[in-house]
Amino acid sequence: DQQVKQNSPSLSVQEGRISILNCDYTNSMFDYFLWYKKYPAEGPTFLISISSIKDKNEDGRFTVFLNKSAKHLSLHIVPSQPGDSAVYFCAASIQGGSEKLVFGKGTKLTVNP
Amino acid sequence: DAGITQSPRYKITETGRQVTLMCHQTWSHSYMFWYRQDLGHGLRLIYYSAAADITDKGEVPDGYVVSRSKTENFPLTLESATRSQTSVYFCASSASRMNTGELFFGEGSRLTVL
């Protein structure tokens, strides 16, 4: 039973436009959410996170929105750049714990010049 | 350069062979993790370690053995490799359990079992 779901395996966006990556979760105990970015042949790198006490967190071009009632979070990238092309993983944890961080399957974002 | 390194980066082996993937980190992070990445499954936790000599199972531990005699090393051993263990393996570390879940990953080890 998948607790963190990224239902779109891929997304293609034009450079300069907004990219919206979505993530749904089923476990109501999750209270900390993270996004990781992964380039081919590299390990994932941390991008941005949000605590369940917030509904929005912004870092430059990246904004994560959390809708607790819908158990849904999204990552917005504005404006999208070709260098943003990567696989994005959504992850969730309970009480911010590092162990047993649960990852989604990932969404491959392609930003076309 | 400090960080987390994995070796080998690429490995081809045969069914039934023993394989060990190495992971070394220079940050003295307490927590270390092994994940595997497969198409259609994302990242799944195999084993993790909270400190030297303390290890625990993750989501998919069967067929794997870990040890952590030193804080900086966390080797993963496949005692008798199977084709289903063909995957990309990522080691990761974290300063503490409550480090808001942020992990630092190595570059990965691509293992092919023939």
Side-chain angles (χ1 to χ4, degrees):
Chain A
D1 184 27
Q2 205 180 356
Q3 298 185 71
V4 178
K5 302 177 184 179
Q6 294 178 258
N7 292 320
S8 298
S10 62
L11 175 67
S12 184
V13 172
Q14 208 63 28
E15 181 179 4
R17 299 289 186 110
I18 185 171
S19 294
I20 300 176
L21 295 93
N22 294 303
C23 179
D24 297 297
Y25 61 95
T26 57
N27 190 341
S28 57
M29 297 295 290
F30 288 144
D31 57 5
Y32 204 86
F33 305 89
L34 307 93
W35 286 93
Y36 282 80
K37 176 179 181 179
K38 184 186 178 304
Y39 291 119
E42 294 184 11
T45 55
F46 170 75
L47 185 60
I48 192 170
S49 62
I50 187 167
S51 164
S52 61
I53 63 174
K54 296 184 176 181
D55 53 20
K56 176 183 174 181
N57 189 27
E58 193 171 352
D59 184 1
R61 296 185 297 112
F62 302 91
T63 303
V64 56
F65 295 92
L66 176 63
N67 182 332
K68 291 184 290 293
S69 60
K71 294 192 179 70
H72 176 83
L73 65 156
S74 60
L75 175 68
H76 293 211
I77 306 173
V78 184
S80 300
Q81 300 174 353
D84 295 329
S85 297
V87 175
Y88 290 79
F89 290 99
C90 173
S93 72
I94 298 173
Q95 295 181 342
S98 299
E99 80 279 17
K100 299 188 180 181
L101 190 64
V102 180
F103 285 85
K105 294 181 180 181
T107 296
K108 183 177 181 180
L109 173 66
T110 301
V111 181
N112 301 301
Chain B
D1 203 9
I4 184 165
T5 54
Q6 295 183 229
S7 62
R9 293 291 312 277
Y10 302 91
K11 175 74 176 179
I12 299 174
T13 191
E14 295 177 337
T15 301
R17 299 252 186 181
Q18 182 179 82
V19 176
T20 296
L21 306 179
M22 305 300 294
C23 179
H24 176 79
Q25 52 104 355
T26 59
W27 292 306
S28 298
H29 282 172
S30 296
Y31 276 79
M32 295 188 75
F33 308 81
W34 275 106
Y35 285 88
R36 59 179 289 175
Q37 183 193 9
D38 304 287
L39 278 174
H41 288 282
L43 289 160
R44 292 182 293 174
L45 181 65
I46 304 170
Y47 268 97
Y48 70 99
S49 170
D53 297 322
I54 300 175
T55 62
D56 205 353
K57 295 178 179 179
E59 180 186 356
V60 288
D62 293 345
Y64 303 95
V65 175
V66 294
S67 62
R68 192 146 177 229
S69 57
K70 293 184 178 181
T71 300
E72 61 266 31
N73 297 324
F74 191 39
L76 176 73
T77 298
L78 289 68
E79 293 189 304
S80 179
T82 64
R83 290 201 178 98
S84 65
Q85 292 178 309
T86 292
S87 186
V88 181
Y89 292 85
F90 289 100
C91 180
S93 72
S94 176
S96 69
R97 177 189 179 274
M98 296 306 292
N99 191 34
T100 61
E102 182 180 340
L103 305 180
F104 296 87
F105 284 87
E107 294 185 307
S109 295
R110 181 176 291 275
L111 176 67
T112 301
V113 183
L114 302 176

